[in-house]
Amino acid sequence: MLNDVIPPRPLRAVKSQPGTAAFLPPLLLRLPGAGGAVVVLVATGVPGPLMVRMEDGRSTPLASFPAEADTPVAADLPAGTARIVVSGTGVSEGAVGLGYYPVRGQFPAGRLLLKLHAFRNGSFATPEGGVRGLRSRWRQAEGAARHLGLSLIALSQTAQARLSLKRAQYQRFRDAFVEDFNEVPAEGAAPAVVFLSAAGDGRSPEEIAACAQALKAQTDRSFSWIIAASADRLAREGNALAQAAGDTGRIVPAPAADDASLLKAALDASTAPDDGLICLLGLEGRPTRDAVALIRAAFAAHPDCQLLYTDEERCDASGTPLAGVFKPAFNRHLLEAAPYMGALTVLRAGRSRTLGIDPGFAAAAPYHLIVRTVAQVGAGAVRHLPRIAYSGPEHPPGFVEPETARLAAQALEGVLGVRVSVVPEAGTHFLRPDFPLPAVPPKVSIVIPTRDRAGLLGMALDSLIGKTAYRNFEIIIVDNGSVEPETFALFAEMKATWPDTTIVRDDGDFNYPRICNNGVAVATGELILFLNNDIEVVEAGWLDEMVALALRPGVGIVGAKLLYPDRTIQHAGVMVGLFGYASHWFAHALPDTPGPEGRLLARQDVSAVTGACQLIRRDVWEATGPLDAERFQEDCNDIDLCLRARRAGYEVVTTPYALLIHHESASRGKSRNKLHRERLKAQHERFDALWHARTLVDPHSNPNLDRKNLFAALADAPQGSREARTDAI
């Protein structure tokens, strides 16, 4: 937890009403201009659940939110907050404490204050349990405060308390960059769009009328609209439905009232040519006024496109836009987990008629059509248009209804030919294809660079051997100049414990890629796993999961989900182009952070994964390797290898189902002197020369997102091209 090493700063308790405990906000946050600051509060002393309320000087509530004891929660501190009140079972004056952390950078002295607080109050014992000297304690406090500060930023960036700020920012973005496409493609530039809708019994004439109004407002009139309703409903409400659709839509009968049967009838009624465009349009939302123009312009620019999907926005019950849903370019593994393409997906009419809509899949029928289409056309024919073209109601990601998830799993099983499990997650459901291992699992060569630090390496090896269910692996320890007797004793012990262990000696200067390449040179496995000597195995099935994915056709490199020892996220995939280089997405966030549309809860394609735990097939290594030991001696080499694999047509995948602990930089430390910083800068410049990282928008990110933010935050303005794109680097 965040507060295991550095406790929160205590808030001063004041007299309170019975059954509550009240505290004064910190003085710095009560000064003029501090309103709207974010604090991280930690309640102690009483088991939750708790309610935290912020009040002004007249006890008028300004904000409230739930909390759990001993669990940090981020919250905006409204201007004028005079007291913070905690209530809950067992809460009374003196029975509960409330502490806070200032988010680093919240005010000029925040970082220094956090470091001083860590120095005075942190728990920094030596490995033997002794007390550190002042200089050592200051260094430890500096590192701990840096990590805590980043974790606090992650917590505040992903907190529910920031929703109001995010909604205000989205409204500003929307005013400038939604419905801003003013071009209308020429009549013959691209086919017309045929919208297909299902007027099930749950869809009112008012919803149909609202959608009709949105279509009437289209800047591009090259479309038609087919609405299917059951014969029984037409007999009852035919006139009302026709009146709602007006002259914009054509209503056709269907034999049954379920949405899949209705969509099938609408598709069957379409006379679009084979290269024409069909779009399944849900009546719960409506297209933006430039949706047709955007779609046709994209197909005009990319006539080879077979499937197109767009960004969209979520609205409240009154239709007020709340937030945008900014999607990645085509992401095969994410699609096999959730219907992330959303509500405005456009397909070629001929292929869709051939594949058909199967009413047996009920609400999962559109997903069934999409995954079969993708299986036929391949990644290069799928494009994502990073513009908002649809407004719809709020709903969780994934498959909300269990029955829909079950049918979607059945649909995906038919495409993949493997069993697909349904994974419940926080009120929704994701899919997990269970890719099997061969009867004889392939050998994995685990390459571990090291230099002394026998205690650290011993921890990694003990957990690797003792907790890993997958047993067909060899261990290759590449020793970069160790001198301590304890290290050599550990090597001898390892050879006795795990006979398939090889020690490779490398006495050169530290050069991570050269060290790893030397390990690969003696490897005999069909797969190669680069593993840091500070990785701790905590779950038995991690390597089974990674190997199963690596053996899947099309996949080249697989990465794991890594947590810091305090269980915040260290690695859940790398986004290239962040901060002008590449960064770990959602680093320092809480381990169950879902990410945008739940992406961190599922397997997904990414552009790169960290070399701290990176599995690559031998044939991919031979096609794209080795690690570049000339240009990237310390940094960038793992990202460069992944991008070379991507350029060669292989996928890079990260999975939350392989979970490990990464004691990052424990082996070589965090300290960076001026010379070291200059070396890293030079390597980053060489990386940019190769991959244009300063301008690259990662295909698995979105040009509407901030390229200087780890948490998929909306940019003030688009930071890259909004043209339709594939997943290519």
Side-chain angles (χ1 to χ4, degrees):
M1 296 298 296
L2 300 178
N3 51 321
D4 282 348
V5 173
I6 306 175
R9 299 169 65 88
L11 291 175
R12 184 162 68 88
V14 294
K15 189 171 180 59
S16 62
Q17 297 293 322
T20 66
F23 303 87
L24 287 179
L27 177 61
L28 279 169
L29 298 182
R30 285 182 278 152
L31 295 175
V38 177
V39 291
V40 178
L41 300 171
V42 185
T44 58
V46 175
L50 304 168
M51 182 60 68
V52 180
R53 186 173 71 251
M54 297 180 181
E55 300 178 345
D56 65 13
R58 298 181 178 181
S59 299
T60 303
L62 301 176
S64 63
F65 50 89
E68 296 288 338
D70 299 315
T71 301
V73 58
D76 292 308
L77 190 73
T81 301
R83 295 197 317 165
I84 302 174
V85 181
V86 179
S87 59
T89 304
V91 172
S92 63
E93 191 175 323
V96 63
L98 191 66
Y100 83 102
Y101 295 107
V103 176
R104 194 181 76 184
Q106 185 172 287
F107 42 84
R111 185 172 182 176
L112 178 60
L113 287 175
L114 198 61
K115 190 186 302 183
L116 289 170
H117 178 67
F119 178 73
R120 292 183 60 191
N121 302 290
S123 303
F124 304 118
T126 66
E128 296 77 26
V131 178
R132 294 186 181 274
L134 292 180
R135 180 174 296 180
S136 174
R137 186 180 181 86
W138 178 252
R139 285 198 302 267
Q140 289 289 312
E142 184 175 27
R146 182 192 306 115
H147 177 76
L148 176 60
L150 293 170
S151 297
L152 295 175
I153 291 172
L155 188 61
S156 69
Q157 286 278 320
T158 57
Q160 288 289 324
R162 296 194 70 86
L163 282 180
S164 60
L165 298 177
K166 292 178 179 178
R167 288 171 180 173
Q169 183 191 13
Y170 176 68
Q171 190 57 61
R172 293 192 297 272
F173 180 92
R174 190 185 197 284
D175 290 342
F177 303 109
V178 177
E179 298 185 313
D180 63 329
F181 188 74
N182 298 315
E183 303 171 30
V184 176
E187 187 173 337
V193 180
V194 181
F195 291 105
L196 308 179
S197 296
D201 290 343
R203 296 296 170 206
S204 68
E206 290 75 19
E207 286 179 301
I208 297 173
C211 205
Q213 284 299 116
L215 290 173
K216 284 180 182 178
Q218 290 298 305
T219 57
D220 185 343
R221 305 297 298 172
S222 298
F223 70 90
S224 59
W225 185 26
I226 301 174
I227 310 158
S230 68
D232 288 345
R233 187 175 190 191
L234 286 176
R236 298 190 317 269
E237 304 177 66
N239 289 337
L241 296 179
Q243 186 175 359
D247 58 4
T248 305
R250 175 166 65 99
I251 299 179
V252 299
D258 62 281
D259 280 2
S261 296
L262 297 175
L263 287 175
K264 181 181 186 304
L267 177 61
D268 292 344
S270 167
T271 58
D274 284 353
D275 68 343
L277 308 176
I278 64 138
C279 179
L280 307 183
L281 178 62
L283 293 174
E284 67 276 7
R286 54 198 59 89
T288 59
R289 67 181 179 220
D290 53 2
V292 174
L294 286 168
I295 291 167
R296 293 187 63 247
F299 278 93
H302 307 286
D304 60 334
C305 181
Q306 298 294 309
L307 185 154
L308 178 82
Y309 61 100
T310 73
D311 290 343
E312 56 192 272
E313 66 183 1
R314 300 276 191 260
C315 302
D316 64 16
S318 69
T320 301
L322 299 174
V325 179
F326 299 104
K327 303 169 188 175
F330 177 61
N331 196 304
R332 177 168 67 139
H333 286 83
L334 186 60
L335 180 62
E336 292 170 357
Y340 83 90
M341 290 182 178
L344 206 69
T345 303
V346 188
L347 307 101
R348 295 288 183 177
R351 189 182 306 277
S352 297
R353 278 194 291 263
T354 300
L355 291 172
I357 292 176
D358 187 343
F361 287 99
Y367 178 76
H368 181 225
L369 174 60
I370 288 169
V371 293
R372 285 180 296 151
T373 300
V374 168
Q376 284 194 0
V377 305
V382 178
R383 287 188 179 266
H384 163 242
L385 184 62
R387 287 177 175 268
I388 288 173
Y390 181 85
S391 296
E394 284 190 287
H395 62 79
F399 299 92
V400 179
E401 298 298 328
E403 178 61 9
T404 303
R406 184 189 69 80
L407 290 169
Q410 182 182 326
L412 190 57
E413 286 176 348
V415 173
L416 299 181
V418 302
R419 181 176 177 273
V420 176
S421 300
V422 175
V423 183
E425 289 281 3
T428 189
H429 305 81
F430 291 90
L431 307 183
R432 180 183 177 181
D434 300 325
F435 298 111
L437 290 170
V440 179
K443 187 175 186 179
V444 180
S445 298
I446 303 178
V447 177
I448 305 175
T450 196
R451 180 176 183 175
D452 288 319
R453 300 298 300 273
L456 188 69
L457 177 63
M459 174 275 298
L461 294 172
D462 286 347
S463 68
L464 172 65
I465 295 170
K467 296 181 179 178
T468 302
Y470 194 100
R471 305 308 283 176
N472 189 16
F473 62 83
E474 65 175 343
I475 299 173
I476 301 170
I477 300 172
V478 188
D479 176 25
N480 182 218
S482 292
V483 295
E484 296 173 357
E486 296 85 355
T487 304
F488 300 112
L490 176 63
F491 291 165
E493 179 185 337
M494 274 304 305
K495 288 186 174 182
T497 303
W498 194 261
D500 200 357
T501 296
T502 301
I503 311 298
V504 177
R505 182 73 179 186
D506 181 326
D507 285 320
D509 293 338
F510 178 74
N511 181 310
Y512 178 83
R514 186 201 67 231
I515 295 167
C516 290
N517 292 340
N518 287 342
V520 175
V522 301
T524 61
E526 298 167 57
L527 297 106
I528 299 156
L529 175 67
F530 296 113
L531 195 70
N532 273 22
N533 66 348
D534 54 1
I535 293 288
E536 179 183 358
V537 174
V538 292
E539 294 182 347
W542 69 281
L543 192 51
D544 295 79
E545 164 74 0
M546 295 183 72
V547 170
L549 287 176
L551 295 179
R552 189 180 181 194
V555 174
I557 298 177
V558 179
K561 183 174 183 177
L562 307 180
L563 303 181
Y564 286 109
D566 68 355
R567 299 312 194 260
T568 55
I569 294 172
Q570 191 269 336
H571 172 267
V574 172
M575 286 294 174
V576 181
L578 288 186
F579 298 97
Y581 166 49
S583 294
H584 291 197
W585 213 32
F586 282 82
H588 300 277
L590 294 176
D592 56 354
T593 299
E597 296 297 289
R599 285 175 62 179
L600 301 187
L601 305 176
R603 297 167 178 152
Q604 62 173 314
D605 292 274
V606 291
S607 289
V609 294
T610 178
C613 182
Q614 189 181 73
L615 182 68
I616 183 170
R617 287 204 318 272
R618 169 75 67 173
D619 62 303
V620 179
W621 174 262
E622 291 173 352
T624 62
L627 292 167
D628 191 332
E630 296 299 319
R631 285 179 283 203
F632 307 126
Q633 301 94 328
E634 297 162 282
D635 207 357
C636 312
N637 46 75
D638 50 352
I639 312 302
D640 173 68
L641 177 65
C642 289
L643 294 182
R644 280 187 274 144
R646 290 282 293 109
R647 187 173 58 190
Y650 296 104
E651 294 174 339
V652 177
V653 183
T654 184
T655 172
Y657 306 123
L659 185 70
L660 304 106
I661 304 299
H662 186 192
H663 300 261
E664 188 192 33
S665 299
S667 57
R668 298 190 62 83
K670 263 286 190 185
S671 177
R672 291 177 177 176
N673 57 33
K674 182 180 179 181
L675 183 61
H676 187 194
R677 290 194 298 270
E678 289 175 350
R679 290 201 308 268
L680 293 181
K681 181 181 178 181
Q683 290 170 59
H684 286 189
E685 289 174 349
R686 290 193 285 271
F687 182 86
D688 182 59
L690 277 177
W691 298 108
H692 311 290
R694 288 190 176 92
T695 56
L696 175 69
V697 174
D698 192 307
H700 299 299
S701 181
N702 189 292
N704 297 297
L705 300 180
D706 188 350
R707 296 174 71 249
K708 292 186 177 181
N709 185 286
L710 295 178
F711 310 105
L714 178 62
D716 291 332
Q719 298 185 346
S721 170
R722 292 192 289 166
E723 295 296 314
R725 60 194 187 138
T726 68
D727 67 337
I729 292 289

